[in-house]
Amino acid sequence: MRLQRYLALCGVASRRKCEALIAAGRVRVNGAVADRPGTTVVHGADRVELDGRPVEPESETVCYMLHKES
């Protein structure tokens, strides 16, 4: 998954704002500063940090389906 999409899914900001954060040098992947928004990240295998704090995805999405009889 691309880094800006991963950050957006974690609730950091929109994808475009995440690109600006990456360009500003505020994001690290496995300890190295990420300099390209297109960097590939694997959830669970790579450590992503924003301003020195780890970034984790929010809890998994839950979908409820309701069946209404009339």
Side-chain angles (χ1 to χ4, degrees), residues 11-66:
V12 172
S14 68
R15 285 194 324 239
R16 300 294 177 225
K17 298 274 183 182
C18 290
E19 288 175 0
L21 293 173
I22 294 166
R26 296 176 57 187
V27 180
R28 292 180 174 263
V29 177
N30 297 327
V33 175
D35 54 352
R36 295 175 318 189
T39 304
T40 304
V41 177
V42 177
H43 172 62
D46 293 321
R47 179 177 171 85
V48 179
E49 298 176 351
L50 174 65
D51 295 333
R53 292 186 291 189
V55 176
E56 293 289 328
E58 296 178 353
S59 63
E60 293 186 27
T61 304
V62 178
C63 180
Y64 294 99
M65 295 180 65
L66 301 174

